[in-house]
Amino acid sequence: MWLYVVASLLGLFLLRRWHRERQTVPRLSEKHVLITGCDSGFGSLLARQLDARGMRVLAACLTEAGAAQLRAATSDRLQTVLLDVTSSKSIADVTAWVRQRVGDQGLWGLVNNAGIAIPTGPNEWLSKEDFVKVLNVNLVGLVEVTLSLLPLLRRARGRVVNVASVMGRVSFFGGGYCPSKYGVEAFSDSLRLEMRNFGVKVSVIEPGYFKTMITNVDNLEKNFYTSWQKLPEEIRTAYGESYLKQFVKMLKILQNTYNSNLSLVTNCMEHALTSLHPRSRYSAGWDAKLLYLPISYLPSALSDALFALFYPKSVGKA
């Protein structure tokens, strides 16, 4: 009997959740959304997706070529602007540009999607500057863009959608990418609490591994060999060239698991922007849901042992 009661309660819970998540925000065609990193990947697809839905998309691209390509694939409603998230002047200029377009109604949505992964590699192979380059784009730039646009978002009682990663839950490779995504998670959590009374909702997207420019294997492999060539002889001797080759081999094996269906991520972003009841977090991809997130809840000793099974082995110790 208790089994039936539990099953019934679970069914009612899921039905209520399904109903709540299908409720959408009214008058979407009047709402402006700024998306960063629209040159390719998730940003480009989301811009086209929201444009097709009739929303007023403000697409921020790093290059004019990326902006032109996006304009050619969308309606006249979509507007593009060049944005370098590592430049305070560029952010200030874009903020003024957005303010002119949204007017008194404010900015409904901000999607912080811009990001990079290179330089990456074992931590000892990298310099402080390598870490800073990634952190400036993925975390510091995201924070500055958000803070600059918060007055417009508060005016509209709108949405902030920050793209983190499953690598903001578990970290099994070096460089600035994982620390930056952990930082995005932390910033989003504090911002969500602070904005609660203002009616601004903050969501985090946690994709697994997808085929984008960030995960391009050729670029990553070139990055590894470049870092290796710069290393002092002492460090190269300690790791051994076999470590480098194993690292590249592991990367190529991993790419076979990358998901090419980017809409799994952009659908989460769209829901966070258009649903009356958006989630605080969205996991996108089977690997995120079934592998990385469960691993993140394991004791560190177990997760370390699991990742160590696939990690390259160095030739020496100290």
Side-chain angles (χ1 to χ4, degrees):
M1 178 180 175
W2 285 109
L3 185 61
Y4 290 113
V5 172
V6 171
S8 298
L9 290 175
L10 179 61
L12 288 173
F13 169 79
L14 294 175
L15 183 62
R16 179 178 181 272
R17 179 176 174 176
W18 174 81
H19 174 67
R20 278 172 57 87
E21 293 202 338
R22 283 179 59 87
Q23 299 177 52
T24 58
V25 174
R27 300 188 299 278
L28 287 175
S29 62
E30 301 173 10
K31 300 188 182 301
H32 290 82
V33 176
L34 176 69
I35 310 166
T36 68
C38 289
D39 296 78
S40 62
F42 301 136
S44 176
L45 179 58
L46 178 64
R48 288 181 274 129
Q49 202 167 307
L50 296 182
D51 178 64
R53 190 158 182 178
M55 298 187 75
R56 300 178 181 273
V57 178
L58 307 174
C61 299
L62 181 62
T63 66
E64 179 54 46
Q69 186 177 25
L70 185 58
R71 286 194 299 269
T74 52
S75 74
D76 293 338
R77 280 190 309 274
L78 182 140
Q79 300 179 65
T80 61
V81 65
L82 297 184
L83 171 64
D84 177 358
V85 299
T86 66
S87 166
S88 295
K89 182 182 184 306
S90 180
I91 293 172
D93 290 345
V94 169
T95 300
W97 179 86
V98 170
R99 185 178 291 111
Q100 289 178 348
R101 278 146 186 82
V102 303
D104 292 337
Q105 71 177 24
L107 178 66
W108 172 254
L110 167 63
V111 181
N112 282 305
N113 168 72
I116 61 172
I118 292 174
T120 187
N123 288 309
E124 196 175 10
W125 296 12
L126 303 171
S127 65
K128 171 189 172 182
E129 289 71 26
D130 292 330
F131 282 83
V132 169
K133 181 178 180 180
V134 178
L135 287 164
N136 277 344
V137 175
N138 295 1
L139 180 57
V140 180
L142 178 149
V143 170
E144 187 172 3
V145 169
T146 305
L147 296 181
S148 298
L149 292 166
L150 269 183
L152 296 176
L153 289 159
R154 282 193 287 101
R155 187 179 303 170
R157 298 176 66 85
R159 307 286 170 83
V160 178
V161 181
N162 291 331
V163 181
S165 168
V166 288
M167 294 298 105
R169 294 293 195 99
V170 294
S171 179
F172 64 86
F173 60 85
Y177 186 80
C178 294
S180 73
K181 294 305 182 181
Y182 272 78
V184 170
E185 295 272 359
F187 174 67
S188 301
D189 283 347
S190 61
L191 187 68
R192 186 177 64 253
L193 291 172
E194 293 167 356
M195 290 294 106
R196 187 182 182 92
N197 289 336
F198 293 105
V200 176
K201 297 182 179 180
V202 180
S203 298
V204 180
I205 312 295
E206 298 173 335
Y209 277 89
F210 286 81
K211 289 183 179 178
T212 66
M213 289 302 295
I214 280 185
T215 58
N216 183 278
V217 173
D218 292 336
N219 292 340
L220 290 169
E221 183 177 354
K222 181 180 178 181
N223 153 81
F224 291 142
Y225 279 103
T226 300
S227 297
W228 176 260
Q229 294 300 325
K230 293 179 181 178
L231 292 176
E233 188 62 33
E234 177 189 0
I235 296 179
R236 281 194 282 181
T237 301
Y239 283 84
E241 194 163 348
S242 63
Y243 188 99
L244 171 64
K245 292 177 179 177
Q246 290 175 59
F247 210 91
V248 172
K249 182 179 179 180
M250 179 181 69
L251 178 70
K252 290 182 176 180
I253 292 172
L254 185 62
Q255 77 169 328
N256 294 325
T257 67
Y258 293 173
N259 198 321
S260 60
N261 184 7
L262 304 190
S263 64
L264 293 176
V265 177
T266 57
N267 287 345
C268 292
M269 296 171 170
E270 182 178 346
H271 187 272
L273 291 165
T274 62
S275 173
L276 204 57
H277 305 285
R279 304 180 196 176
S280 297
R281 279 180 168 79
Y282 293 82
S283 299
W286 69 264
D287 55 340
K289 291 180 172 68
L290 302 180
L291 180 62
Y292 294 112
L293 290 183
I295 286 176
S296 72
Y297 291 105
L298 291 177
S300 296
L302 290 180
S303 60
D304 286 354
L306 181 61
F307 288 133
L309 293 175
F310 305 96
Y311 232 69
K313 303 296 186 291
S314 58
V315 295
K317 296 184 179 179

